[in-house]
Amino acid sequence: MSVYDFKVKTMEGSEKSLSDYSGKVLLIVNTATECGFTPQYADLQAIYEAHGEKGLEILDFPCNQFGEQAPGADEEIHTFCTGRFGVTYPQFSKIEVNGSQAIPLYQYLVKQKGFAGFDPAHKITSILEGILEKSHPDYKNEPDIKWNFTKFLVDRQGNVVERFEPTADMKLVEEKVKELL
């Protein structure tokens, strides 16, 4: 099994097979428009512009599960992202990444690469840890998604090779992408 075995819903409401991305390096990310990490849209777009022609695709899945920070409809989210950050990579319909309503793709992703911790040097790490410790004291031992802008790096064969928490340095993310290209 690989990520190519899954289908997802586009913003227009049609079904899209991830096998359409076979042979590409994928960066799959759950996003939110009203989050402290929202400026990462600009970083993601810069990575896409630098490496898209070399075989990178970024797949953006808006998610409202963390602090209700993606409240808009799909079209509103898309308009925000294209207008404010110039996003040109594929954006999909809003999803859930955790719990009983999590889409099968995300159920698979977290089984492939679990939570490995936040970057202790990041200024938002202590805030995230405080929020998570209150709501789920054992969060560090669970593989589920912890917050917006968690990224999964997938190789050209559809294998999940790395998971980046939202606190990961985007330069590190880009370096790992380049290694696979």
Side-chain angles (χ1 to χ4, degrees):
M1 180 166 246
S2 77
V3 297
Y4 300 144
D5 296 312
F6 294 93
K7 293 179 180 175
V8 295
K9 187 176 170 187
T10 67
M11 283 199 160
E12 297 76 33
S14 61
E15 197 171 76
K16 173 90 169 159
S17 174
L18 294 186
S19 66
D20 292 349
Y21 298 106
S22 181
K24 301 254 185 180
V25 171
L26 304 178
L27 192 61
I28 301 172
V29 56
N30 63 295
T31 61
T33 55
E34 297 179 7
C35 176
F37 294 105
T38 298
Q40 286 188 14
Y41 278 120
D43 296 325
L44 291 166
Q45 181 61 31
I47 291 170
Y48 189 61
E49 288 174 6
H51 306 290
E53 290 183 5
K54 298 171 192 162
L56 171 68
E57 285 291 348
I58 296 175
L59 308 183
D60 176 355
F61 292 90
C63 178
N64 199 37
Q65 284 187 283
F66 306 100
E68 298 182 351
Q69 295 176 342
D74 289 346
E75 187 57 40
E76 292 171 300
I77 291 168
H78 182 68
T79 299
F80 171 84
C81 292
T82 56
R84 181 137 183 227
F85 297 103
V87 166
T88 58
Y89 48 80
Q91 293 185 290
F92 294 86
S93 186
K94 191 186 303 185
I95 62 165
E96 289 196 12
V97 297
N98 289 336
S100 62
Q101 299 299 311
I103 66 168
L105 171 64
Y106 267 83
Q107 292 174 25
Y108 173 78
L109 290 171
V110 298
K111 285 179 183 168
Q112 299 305 301
K113 292 289 177 187
F115 180 66
F118 295 117
D119 178 351
H122 196 283
K123 63 183 178 182
I124 298 181
T125 292
S126 62
I127 296 167
L128 280 177
E129 289 177 337
I131 291 168
L132 292 167
E133 285 169 358
K134 286 179 187 169
S135 63
H136 187 55
D138 196 35
Y139 79 91
K140 291 179 183 177
N141 297 315
E142 299 295 326
D144 62 342
I145 304 298
K146 307 305 178 207
W147 208 255
N148 307 306
F149 291 90
T150 299
K151 298 156 207 73
F152 290 90
L153 184 59
V154 178
D155 69 16
R156 292 180 187 270
Q157 292 74 44
N159 303 304
V160 182
V161 296
E162 192 130 7
R163 173 176 168 164
F164 303 98
E165 299 306 323
T167 56
D169 186 314
M170 292 301 289
K171 288 182 174 88
L172 171 67
V173 174
E174 184 173 18
E175 285 304 312
K176 295 294 185 175
V177 165
K178 286 172 23 179
E179 287 175 16
L180 292 181
L181 292 170

